[in-house]
Amino acid sequence: MSITFSPQFLLILFTISLFGTSLAYWLWSEILRTTELSRANAFAFLVPGFGLAMGVAFFGESIGLLTGLGILVTLLGVAMTNMDRPESTQTTDASAH
């Protein structure tokens, strides 16, 4: 298999490398500067949902009831992970005992 470095190929390669890799990496680094890893990492579960949404938007695919329910449960899980948690009233200081 040979690769033809046509203008179209180079444009696609540039677009994928710029937006699909560089921009995504930079955004992830910026998010990690301000957000706890456990909260930020929950958003990784949205990747399949975005893939399904792109399939619907660009390729005319349809989402069935179970798939839609799965997306809804995923969104709920991400929302619950990122909700503010009440502060614990239990202290971990050994001198308090």
Side-chain angles (χ1 to χ4, degrees):
M1 180 175 150
S2 65
I3 297 174
T4 304
F5 288 91
S6 66
Q8 180 184 11
F9 174 80
L10 293 174
L11 179 64
I12 291 170
L13 182 64
F14 176 75
T15 303
I16 289 172
S17 63
L18 183 64
F19 296 109
T21 305
S22 302
L23 180 63
Y25 183 79
W26 177 75
L27 288 172
W28 181 247
S29 297
E30 289 300 310
I31 288 169
L32 290 180
R33 288 180 204 253
T34 59
T35 307
E36 298 172 25
L37 178 59
S38 61
R39 289 179 179 229
N41 201 36
F43 287 94
F45 292 105
L46 296 177
V47 171
F50 283 118
L52 289 167
M54 285 189 271
V56 170
F58 299 116
F59 301 110
E61 295 179 6
S62 61
I63 294 178
L65 179 63
L66 285 177
T67 303
L69 183 60
I71 293 170
L72 184 63
V73 169
T74 302
L75 290 172
L76 182 63
V78 171
M80 289 174 63
T81 301
N82 285 290
M83 287 177 18
D84 288 331
R85 297 175 205 128
E87 293 295 323
S88 175
T89 58
Q90 187 177 14
T91 182
T92 58
D93 187 10
S95 63
H97 292 101

